[in-house]
Amino acid sequence: MTIEEILGGESKNLEYKGERPAKSKSYMKSVVAFSNGVGGKIVFGIEDKTLKVLGVPDNILFSEMDAIANIISDQCEPMIVPDIYMQTIEDKTVIVVDIVEGAQKPYYIKSEGIDAGTYIRVAGTTRPADEYMIQELRLEGSRRSYDEMPCIGLEITEDDIADLCKRMKEEAVYNTLNEEEKKAIRDVTVEQLLSWRVIGERNGKYYPNNAYAILTGDYRVPNTIQCGVFKGSTKAIFVDRKEYTGPAWELVEEAFQYVLRNIRMGATFKGVYRQDVYEIPPFAIRELIVNAVVHRSYVDRGNIQIAVYDDRLEILSPGKLPKTQTFAGMQKGRSKIRNEALAKAFSYMKLMEKWGSGIPRVVREVCDEGLAVPVFEGGEVDLVVNIYRKGIGPSEDRTTTDATNSATNATDATEIATNATELTEDEKLIIVAVKQNPSITQQALHNQTGITIGTIKRILPRLQEKGVLIREGNRRSGNWKVIK
């Protein structure tokens, strides 16, 4: 960890303590939360409010390090082994406790037990994990997928299985445009469903897994999409609302059509022919809805929520990012599947792009239409994706004048993102974000793009060397400027 990163302010994976608290529980919560998440660091010797470097006195430095190691070992279950080291800042020595993501989740404080002593990190704070999150952590720790587990209370017949196979093929044919490719689509068989783990077999009898219930719309695995239109940029004033339940692929189509009915449509002309164009690319809308259905947590009983505001389209998917997925990984095409059986079924039905290709294409198509880069938020409890409507960006004031300026910024950002072939994908993402918000901080860049702080610190000077970016003003109060 660099000095700049330590002094960059608390985040979801960084915490400061002026000194080691007398009651160890105050930081044991963070230790288990980091282990249950993506890891993190606790720095002793820096005040959390002022970032004033106090240091740890030399005469107790090693005894403090030993005490921290022993307390973590004694009070956490399963055992957590941190990397504890010293670092000099402003001629003072601080202690850094580096906690990596654990492989035996959930981690908890022994004295409180697993139900009360399991903690997670949300938006830079440590909080108790609720029942659903503990179950989600258990699944992660056991390397199991919820959709591949038996659906309790649901029984099926061979006729039920045959009906699902038939309907899935019909959906695959419907989603295939090329006639030759339609003819090549194979029937879904019982063996195929078994290999996907949509169903299982025991003692010669078939039983449904949770994926079967999701695909068929059975109530035992709640799967609802709530759609709404709102006046303004908050949920304060409803204009319209709908709620959809049923087979998973039908939910996708109903929610997709709902959004199309409630966004604006313009027109372009190719020669003498008029072509209707939605303000948000339909592919992006459909792909994000599919991702919400396939990658959401079904342990969490919450619903997928799709909201159309005056300024944006927002899609909320229950559950934290699956496994070791990150926003940066998503945008680079790295695929981490939470519900593998469901993903295989959707892939067969032609509802998903090739694994890992969907989100990069969403970002590309949205930018190609002159819109701001989609904003991915959350990830610790649920995932929210915002696509801002024509002429509006995430950091813009909603006045007419600023909307016009935002349209110009979005167009310039798109030009950079699509035409600067000599830049890396990370560099393009950073330039687009800086163009939209010249005063953006490194932490905000990380939150918006998913790129690590360390990588951002390497890219910014590189872009300055290339003559793409310049810094106006000082490090704390200045702004970035994109040079064409």
Side-chain angles (χ1 to χ4, degrees):
M1 176 187 290
T2 66
I3 294 176
E4 289 79 7
E5 285 176 313
I6 289 179
L7 294 177
E10 288 201 26
S11 69
K12 67 180 181 181
N13 58 356
L14 181 61
E15 197 170 271
Y16 303 116
K17 301 290 181 186
E19 59 184 15
R20 183 168 64 87
K23 294 183 178 180
S24 59
K25 182 179 174 181
S26 64
Y27 63 95
M28 284 304 102
K29 294 178 181 180
S30 296
V31 170
V32 298
F34 289 149
S35 294
N36 284 326
V38 296
K41 296 178 174 67
I42 303 175
V43 183
F44 293 91
I46 298 179
E47 284 188 343
D48 61 342
K49 302 295 184 184
T50 64
L51 297 188
K52 181 180 179 181
V53 180
L54 304 176
V56 179
D58 291 342
N59 63 324
I60 64 169
L61 188 60
F62 292 102
S63 61
E64 285 292 277
M65 293 173 68
D66 288 341
I68 293 169
N70 291 334
I71 290 170
I72 292 175
S73 176
D74 292 342
Q75 297 192 15
C76 300
E77 186 75 30
M79 181 178 287
I80 296 172
V81 182
D83 182 15
I84 304 176
Y85 56 90
M86 298 174 287
Q87 185 156 345
T88 301
I89 302 176
E90 298 177 2
D91 296 325
K92 297 177 181 177
T93 304
V94 300
I95 297 173
V96 180
V97 180
D98 192 348
I99 310 293
V100 300
E101 178 178 359
Q104 296 176 284
K105 301 173 184 177
Y107 292 84
Y108 57 95
I109 298 175
K110 286 182 186 179
S111 60
E112 296 185 352
I114 192 168
D115 292 333
T118 301
Y119 294 86
I120 57 174
R121 195 76 170 167
V122 180
T125 62
T126 298
R127 76 178 204 187
D130 56 24
E131 182 181 355
Y132 111 79
M133 181 57 74
I134 293 173
Q135 188 175 351
E136 191 78 58
L137 292 170
R138 277 195 175 108
L139 288 171
E140 273 194 37
S142 62
R143 306 295 192 273
R144 291 184 295 168
S145 175
Y146 175 79
D147 67 330
E148 296 177 352
M149 297 171 64
C151 183
I152 305 301
L154 177 60
E155 295 183 357
I156 53 174
T157 65
E158 291 188 5
D159 287 342
D160 293 330
I161 295 173
D163 182 61
L164 175 60
C165 292
K166 176 175 176 289
R167 295 177 68 190
M168 286 180 64
K169 182 176 181 182
E170 289 173 350
E171 182 66 17
V173 170
Y174 175 79
N175 292 319
T176 303
L177 299 179
N178 185 284
E179 291 300 323
E180 290 301 316
E181 291 179 2
K182 285 184 179 182
K183 295 175 183 177
I185 296 174
R186 296 181 178 180
D187 293 340
V188 183
T189 63
V190 173
E191 289 72 22
Q192 191 71 71
L193 293 181
L194 285 167
S195 70
W196 292 340
R197 296 186 180 176
V198 171
I199 62 174
E201 183 179 11
R202 186 186 301 115
N203 300 325
K205 184 178 180 180
Y206 300 119
Y207 62 87
N209 288 331
N210 289 321
Y212 179 95
I214 296 166
L215 288 169
T216 59
D218 187 88
Y219 72 91
R220 290 170 182 82
V221 181
N223 186 20
T224 299
I225 298 184
Q226 296 174 319
C227 298
V229 178
F230 302 88
K231 183 176 178 60
S233 59
T234 69
K235 287 187 170 72
I237 303 176
F238 262 111
V239 176
D240 181 69
R241 69 178 81 184
K242 295 287 183 183
E243 193 168 284
Y244 300 106
T245 59
W249 63 85
E250 292 182 7
L251 290 181
V252 171
E253 185 62 25
E254 289 170 330
F256 174 62
Q257 293 299 331
Y258 181 90
V259 174
L260 293 185
R261 290 194 300 270
N262 288 286
I263 60 175
R264 295 184 291 269
M265 179 182 286
T268 60
F269 289 88
K270 292 187 177 181
V272 296
Y273 298 101
R274 172 190 169 104
Q275 182 176 350
D276 292 330
V277 178
Y278 288 99
E279 61 175 321
I280 299 174
F283 167 82
I285 299 169
R286 188 182 184 87
E287 183 67 19
L288 290 174
I289 295 173
V290 167
N291 269 272
V293 171
V294 172
H295 298 300
R296 65 157 289 178
S297 167
Y298 287 94
V299 175
D300 186 338
R301 292 320 199 193
N303 298 318
I304 295 170
Q305 297 179 352
I306 300 176
V308 181
Y309 299 99
D310 289 348
D311 61 343
R312 70 194 189 280
L313 168 68
E314 178 185 273
I315 300 176
L316 180 148
S317 178
K320 69 188 189 71
L321 284 173
K323 301 176 183 176
T324 56
Q325 182 64 288
T326 63
F327 291 139
M330 288 167 54
Q331 295 182 56
K332 291 177 180 178
R334 295 173 189 158
S335 181
K336 299 288 184 181
I337 307 297
R338 187 199 306 275
N339 301 299
E340 295 188 7
L342 198 57
K344 290 169 184 174
F346 265 57
S347 181
Y348 166 83
M349 291 185 289
K350 315 297 182 185
L351 287 165
M352 292 180 65
E353 289 278 294
K354 292 180 180 178
W355 288 11
S357 65
I359 295 301
R361 186 179 164 190
V362 166
V363 174
R364 185 172 65 250
E365 293 211 2
V366 167
C367 288
D368 284 349
E369 289 299 317
L371 305 179
V373 178
V375 177
F376 296 82
E377 299 175 319
E380 295 123 333
V381 176
D382 49 35
L383 172 63
V384 179
V385 184
N386 283 293
I387 298 182
Y388 285 81
R389 302 174 77 168
K390 205 76 169 180
I392 301 174
S395 61
E396 304 299 326
D397 196 346
R398 305 305 172 209
T399 64
T400 303
T401 301
D402 287 345
T404 302
N405 292 337
S406 178
T408 303
N409 287 346
T411 302
D412 289 345
T414 302
E415 181 181 331
I416 292 168
T418 55
N419 295 336
T421 54
E422 71 279 8
L423 301 176
T424 67
E425 291 302 317
D426 283 349
E427 288 172 340
K428 293 176 187 177
L429 287 172
I430 287 175
I431 291 171
V432 170
V434 166
K435 186 68 176 174
Q436 293 166 359
N437 181 9
S439 62
I440 194 168
T441 64
Q442 292 179 359
Q443 185 62 50
L445 273 172
H446 165 69
N447 294 340
Q448 181 168 331
T449 65
I451 302 170
T452 65
I453 294 288
T455 301
I456 289 171
K457 289 179 181 294
R458 290 193 298 271
I459 288 177
L460 289 173
R462 193 162 68 221
L463 291 174
Q464 289 175 285
E465 291 175 4
K466 291 181 178 182
V468 178
L469 281 183
I470 62 171
R471 182 73 177 178
E472 297 178 333
N474 61 41
R475 185 169 68 89
R476 292 191 178 276
S477 61
N479 290 327
W480 292 104
K481 184 176 181 180
V482 178
I483 306 299
K484 285 193 178 182

